[in-house]
Amino acid sequence: MIPVLLVLNAGSSSLKFQVFDLLDGAEPRLVWKGLYEGLGGSAHSLVKDASGAILDETTWSSNDRLGHEEALMHLVAWLRQHQEGRTLAAIGHRVVHGGEAFSGPVLVDDAVLQALDSLVPLAPLHQPHNLEPIRIVRRRLPGMAQVACFDTAFHQTQSDIASLFALPSEMRDRGVRRYGFHGLSYDYIASVLATYDPRLAEGRVVVAHLGNGASLCALKGGVSIATTMGFSALDGLPMGTRCGAIDAGVVFFMLREMKLSPAEAERVLYTKSGLLGVSGISNDMRVLRSKAATEVDARRAIDLFVYRITREIGSLMAALGGVDGLVFTAGIGENDTATRAEVIAGLSWAGFSLDEDANRTGGPRISTGSGPTAWVIPTNEELVIARQTRTILGATWAKLAS
Ligand code: ADP
């Protein structure tokens, strides 16, 4: 039997998954991937093979009220039908917040789950959804090994100063500090830098994870020393629907003068701001690019996005004491040639020079000249979860595989 690992990434109305074969010390090998979306409403699922070919597609009506539990059990049933010579041996979960306690992946037990629950106030919009499938699996598949892998953990290498807010020290004692997120993505990029250029793995690199959520990370020798997200996933760059860094005084204005409740203010900052809020059109970069020539507000949203990225890269360069490379990743970073070109144009003062042909064809290297280099590297957060889960369950795998 080949032990397989299920990787889950749960959101409020979605469940993304990947399934990996684990073979004799080799890199985990992707077998299937897919998602359930529209959970709680008109749900839809998709399963693809490793090449992206669709193997299964199912639609449920809103009357079915397919939730996370039904979706997960539907997935487990599908896996059992198709597993031929494989056995589901463990589940690895993406969990947004590991707080201060978890500086790496962890096998989930009662105490761990309780500790992760206590972090819900630090990530109220994400953590509960990430923990839900862990509970479901404990209930429906008792005994299944589960590993939690954190978006925060990769940044625990940051110095005390880099993680500190200039707030009264008792707030630091309550856990109010900069944590940083997108750590699974940065972990992946750090792990493959040497295959692109060994000097990058040793050097000073800024990674731009530009998806619906967006952040930057400064890597020195492959280790995180600074990042733009802080206490919550709201900080740093403007994103699809999140505001990024704003003056905290704006929040008081929203509460006191605009009479918004804390929940309403939170909803504005998380779901109505960023590219969507500024453009009034869409949070999807493809839509904004298609309208940028004719719609002033689409252009402004893109210009603000690029301006903030460029400024924050300058800040991380200062933290690094210079820069050897810049990596673009995630949906926008991997696909939007115009954003990459505009960011690099804004960094010409630092010696970056765009190779337009390479940028058009997606790199991987998209810079010319003798200055710092720029790259496009597709991220793979699920593979990092698979790697981490296997590491935590090392001894168990050895037994299963024998
Ligand atoms: P998430 O944070 O949800 O994982 P992704 O990494 O999938 O987000 O990135 C989503 C973003 O990537 C969206 O803004 C989308 O418009 C953008 N994107 C995806 N493909 C392209 C493309 N071909 N050109 C420009 N932007 C793209």
Side-chain angles (χ1 to χ4, degrees), residues 9 16 94 182 209-214 240 242 275 283-287 289 329-337 339 379 381:
N9 180 359
K16 295 184 191 155
R94 179 187 198 162
H182 290 139
H209 177 106
L210 308 177
N212 251 322
R242 286 174 247 165
L275 293 173
N283 63 326
D284 190 321
M285 183 56 91
R286 284 166 291 201
V287 174
R289 285 285 172 200
T329 193
I332 298 172
E334 291 168 27
N335 297 297
D336 192 22
T337 50
T339 293
T379 194
E381 290 152 295

Side-chain angles (χ1 to χ4, degrees), residues 352-372:
F352 283 98
S353 172
L354 183 71
D355 178 334
E356 287 185 19
D357 289 338
N359 187 39
R360 210 172 301 120
T361 53
R365 181 173 164 171
I366 58 168
S367 57
T368 59
S370 58

Side-chain angles (χ1 to χ4, degrees), residues 21 76 121-122 140:
D21 276 351
V76 168
L122 302 190
R140 301 293 300 267

Side-chain angles (χ1 to χ4, degrees), residues 97-170:
H97 220 306
E100 300 202 87
F102 299 109
S103 56
V106 62
L107 187 63
V108 178
D109 59 17
D110 288 340
V112 167
L113 192 52
Q114 206 177 352
L116 297 180
D117 251 337
S118 75
L119 298 171
V120 165
L122 302 190
L125 302 191
H126 294 100
Q127 190 86 344
H129 305 303
N130 300 156
L131 300 185
E132 179 66 10
I134 297 181
R135 282 187 231 289
I136 295 169
V137 170
R138 283 163 70 83
R139 207 165 46 237
R140 301 293 300 267
L141 305 172
M144 178 64 65
Q146 301 196 80
V147 174
C149 303
F150 303 104
D151 271 309
T152 48
F154 186 71
H155 300 294
Q156 289 242 352
T157 47
Q158 295 189 7
S159 68
D160 176 52
I161 293 297
S163 69
L164 201 56
F165 287 122
L167 288 168
S169 60
E170 58 267 27

Side-chain angles (χ1 to χ4, degrees), residues 184-238:
L184 297 165
S185 175
Y186 296 128
D187 187 323
Y188 177 77
I189 299 295
S191 77
V192 296
L193 278 179
T195 63
Y196 290 85
D197 182 349
R199 286 167 302 181
L200 287 181
E202 303 298 319
R204 301 157 299 178
V205 176
V206 175
V207 185
H209 177 106
L210 308 177
N212 251 322
S215 71
L216 304 172
C217 180
L219 295 176
K220 202 171 210 170
V223 167
S224 170
I225 66 149
T227 187
T228 54
M229 277 184 174
F231 177 66
S232 72
L234 264 187
D235 199 9
L237 305 177

Side-chain angles (χ1 to χ4, degrees), residues 283-300:
N283 63 326
D284 190 321
M285 183 56 91
R286 284 166 291 201
V287 174
L288 296 180
R289 285 285 172 200
S290 71
K291 294 188 183 286
T294 51
E295 305 257 358
V296 175
D297 290 336
R299 187 69 252 171
R300 282 179 87 217

